[in-house]
Amino acid sequence: MSVRPAWEMRESGAGVTSWFDVRLSFTDGARVDLLAVLSDTALSIEDVRAEPPLSLDDLAVVAEWIEEPLSEVCGNRLGAGGGTGRDGPARRARPAWPRGAEGRLLAAQEYRAAQQEGVDPVLAVMDATGHSRREALRLIAGARDAGLLAPRHIRR
């Protein structure tokens, strides 16, 4: 495994954003190349390319594969907000989001508030929950099914 700093951008008052090229090479010849982005104390993966392609299960754990090497390269920037110590970087901090009816109600409230402000309601739910787009859409659909949001298509 190799981790190389790719580039870094400093913004006035906004901190530093750093990009890292990460390559995982396996003994069977498989290879995963990715671009990881560290902004303040949040770590995200921007691009993943794998040969052969990764299964969904493997893609879900790729962050765990790169945790330790990235923490060595990034130093204490990853642990500044989460206090991870020796265990590697903090996972992306996600707010506690309730499950079930309460979670659907909160998602519906976020969705409607974003609509009123004129911003993308799906992104607002993603930001509030910390979930991926797919999970946010699933939560919104659940809120629609529960009658908390208007139907997507009005039947004639």
Side-chain angles (χ1 to χ4, degrees), residues 124-142:
V125 173
M126 289 171 59
D127 287 342
T129 62
H131 292 307
S132 67
R133 184 172 187 83
R134 179 175 288 173
E135 289 299 317
L137 288 170
R138 190 172 289 147
L139 192 57
I140 292 166

Side-chain angles (χ1 to χ4, degrees), residues 74-140:
C74 297
N76 62 359
R77 280 182 60 195
L78 287 171
T84 59
R86 308 174 14 172
D87 296 333
R91 287 204 181 0
R92 195 164 134 195
R94 290 192 175 159
W97 194 261
R99 296 183 180 265
E102 186 180 356
R104 289 189 295 272
L105 177 64
L106 291 173
Q109 290 170 348
E110 287 288 335
Y111 188 93
R112 283 193 301 271
Q115 279 183 321
Q116 290 174 352
E117 294 172 8
V119 297
D120 186 349
V122 176
L123 288 178
V125 173
M126 289 171 59
D127 287 342
T129 62
H131 292 307
S132 67
R133 184 172 187 83
R134 179 175 288 173
E135 289 299 317
L137 288 170
R138 190 172 289 147
L139 192 57
I140 292 166

